[in-house]
Amino acid sequence: MQLKKLFPIVAAAALVPTLGLAQDEALSAERVNSEMVFIMNTLLFLMGGFLVFFMAAGFAMLETGLVRSKNATMQLVKNVALFSLASIAYFVVGFNLMYPGDGWIIEGWMGGFSSTSLEPVGVAYDDLNDVTYASIGSDFIFQLMFCAATASIVSGAVAERIKLWPFLIFVIILTGLIYPIQASWSWGGGFLSEAGFSDFAGSSIVHGAGGWAALAGVLILGSRAGKYGKDGRVTVMPGSNLPLATLGMFILWLGWFGFNGGSQLAMGTVSDVADVSRIFANTNTAAAGGAIAALILTQVLYKKVDLTMVLNGALAGLVSITAEPLAPGLGLATLIGAVGGVIVVFTVPMLDKMKIDDVVGAIPVHLFAGIWGTLAVVLSNSDASIGAQIYGIVAIGAFMFVVSGIFWFILKMVMGIRVSDEDQMTGLDTSELGMEAYPEFGSR
């Protein structure tokens, strides 16, 4: 009888270690899952980052192919230098200015000024700031590539007549201060984010921002010598290497998979991975739509296909889908990209009629198609509103254009930003650098 009374007690005592073990196993499984999410997210940022880094080569090749041979070396120097300077400026002040967390100086408008600090070497799981996100280093690298791309957009628009050092000083200001401040308004949790503005990977935040900065620079810098006649005549100044420009376009197309796909910012679940693949597919078909639209439209308008328009049409399609590459289906993504290609074909000659000299078509591709892409978000994202999208476009545009214009003007007054007409005729490779990209062929 006493044994029967003791049996439940003995059984319960025996179960205690089992229950504790089950609880430990549950906690262990939860930690393993959390670690895997952190690892996969970090890998997404790193893979996306090096794909977007390769876009620096794409910009360099595209710009070098679309300028005259006597200015090719200058474009290569600018692109190497601007990426290097952006890397330093962004870590010294830009990254934390863009993502201030609780360190806003003016809440929602201006972040704090401090340099980037990475996790310590061999950081332990328990010492991570946010185990549900990704490493600071991977986040920094990924966001840096977007920042540098903004400067690359400016480089092509002001080509063939800008002095090297004033341009590089502007790059430091753009990547260390101007871009991070405006990007913090959306991606850093600022006032545009609170207003409901939606820009998934940066049609306006990155591409539009670069386009506005480029437009301000082009207007203050002026056109190339001999580009526009007093009678309204436009002198065509063809690029020196269309195969190189085409290679640049394909490199940019490739890099855009990281640009948009990485902006999912998560790869730790089945749904996240599926969404990344959906973004890749939409990104690709939008580029195709832009290229085909430009291909057909130039044949109709000019009776011959214009390769430079097709190249920029593909890029405009990519810019157009960047604001919302996840929600659309393939058909709508193609249409959104096609409209971007149409925009390029009509706005490139429009700028020439206005005597706004954009050497590579950066403003039509990144600014005009960026505006379209930001507005097109409402076609597939039910959480977006046209009012919030317009609000974001205007806020970003006004800030980027005005502040960039102020710094361009200061540089013009203090040290001059434009080379002489004589140096333009000689070519910036010789006049500014003392070397030519194609010395055996001479310059033209």
Side-chain angles (χ1 to χ4, degrees):
M1 192 69 178
Q2 290 180 343
L3 289 174
K4 289 183 179 180
K5 291 181 179 180
L6 289 173
F7 181 77
I9 298 174
V10 173
L15 285 173
V16 169
T18 306
L19 291 172
L21 181 61
Q23 186 177 25
D24 290 343
E25 290 178 349
L27 290 173
S28 177
E30 182 180 350
R31 172 161 172 166
V32 169
N33 181 66
S34 181
E35 287 184 347
M36 286 305 300
V37 168
F38 183 87
I39 290 168
M40 295 304 292
N41 290 351
T42 296
L43 284 174
L44 175 66
F45 283 11
L46 293 175
M47 291 186 294
F50 70 65
L51 279 171
V52 183
F53 167 74
F54 199 36
M55 292 175 71
F59 279 115
M61 296 301 97
L62 179 72
E63 294 172 21
T64 302
L66 292 180
V67 300
R68 290 168 290 178
S69 59
K70 61 185 179 181
N71 299 307
T73 303
M74 174 62 93
Q75 288 309 112
L76 296 172
V77 169
K78 283 163 58 182
N79 275 276
V80 174
L82 76 83
F83 185 86
S84 302
L85 290 169
S87 297
I88 304 301
Y90 196 63
F91 108 73
V92 169
V93 65
F95 183 61
N96 284 341
L97 186 60
M98 183 169 163
Y99 294 102
D102 297 328
W104 293 94
I105 295 175
I106 303 174
E107 187 67 30
W109 290 81
M110 173 71 74
F113 293 86
S114 62
S115 61
T116 305
S117 296
L118 306 178
E119 293 98 348
V121 176
V123 62
Y125 173 87
D126 293 330
D127 295 327
L128 291 170
N129 290 330
D130 185 357
V131 297
T132 65
Y133 191 51
S135 70
I136 296 173
S138 67
D139 194 17
F140 168 78
I141 282 292
F142 185 61
Q143 298 301 335
L144 164 64
M145 303 308 159
F146 287 63
C147 179
T150 306
S152 296
I153 293 165
V154 180
S155 172
V158 299
E160 297 201 322
R161 74 276 201 197
I162 196 166
K163 293 180 179 179
L164 176 61
W165 289 105
F167 170 76
L168 296 182
I169 291 172
F170 179 78
V171 166
I172 295 172
I173 297 168
L174 176 66
T175 57
L177 297 173
I178 304 175
Y179 168 78
I181 289 173
Q182 82 67 28
S184 73
W185 298 345
S186 303
W187 291 343
F191 75 94
L192 286 181
S193 176
E194 294 296 323
F197 176 66
S198 178
D199 191 355
F200 191 95
S203 286
S204 281
I205 296 170
V206 178
H207 297 281
W212 285 113
L215 178 60
V218 166
L219 292 175
I220 293 173
L221 179 64
S223 61
R224 288 168 288 178
K227 176 65 176 177
Y228 303 116
K230 294 181 179 179
D231 58 354
R233 176 181 50 85
V234 178
T235 301
V236 177
M237 297 179 174
S240 60
N241 195 328
L242 292 184
L244 197 63
T246 303
L247 174 63
M249 184 277 296
F250 274 119
I251 292 174
L252 289 169
W253 192 328
L254 171 65
W256 231 289
F257 293 124
F259 200 102
N260 287 354
S263 294
Q264 174 69 11
L265 303 182
M267 199 172 69
T269 66
V270 170
S271 61
D272 282 328
V273 173
D275 283 350
V276 170
S277 68
R278 182 183 177 95
I279 290 168
F280 271 48
N282 282 337
T283 297
N284 183 73
T285 195
I292 293 170
L295 179 83
I296 295 172
L297 192 55
T298 53
Q299 177 68 52
V300 171
L301 294 176
Y302 307 124
K303 309 306 179 186
K304 293 181 180 179
V305 173
D306 185 329
L307 174 61
T308 61
M309 289 290 194
V310 175
L311 300 181
N312 277 333
L315 297 177
L318 289 163
V319 171
S320 299
I321 200 63
T322 295
E324 185 47 83
L326 174 60
L330 289 172
L332 180 57
T334 306
L335 178 61
I336 290 171
V339 173
V342 171
I343 287 171
V344 162
V345 173
F346 284 113
T347 55
V348 167
M350 181 191 77
L351 289 182
D352 276 335
K353 290 180 181 178
M354 299 169 66
K355 297 187 177 181
I356 297 175
D357 188 11
D358 176 359
V359 178
V360 302
I363 295 169
V365 168
H366 298 279
L367 175 53
F368 298 152
I371 291 172
W372 153 244
T374 307
L375 295 174
V377 171
V378 300
L379 298 178
S380 58
N381 187 339
S382 59
D383 293 329
S385 70
I386 192 67
Q389 297 306 99
I390 293 173
Y391 180 42
I393 291 168
V394 172
I396 292 169
F399 177 79
M400 292 300 305
F401 182 77
V402 172
V403 176
S404 296
I406 290 171
F407 281 107
W408 279 123
F409 184 76
I410 292 172
L411 289 169
K412 179 179 180 179
M413 293 295 101
V414 172
M415 58 192 307
I417 59 176
R418 181 185 173 91
V419 302
S420 67
D421 289 356
E422 181 181 351
D423 285 346
Q424 289 185 56
M425 296 303 294
T426 303
L428 273 61
D429 288 3
T430 300
S431 62
E432 286 275 294
L433 303 175
M435 62 174 62
E436 298 179 40
Y438 312 105
E440 67 273 27
F441 298 116
S443 58
R444 64 179 178 87

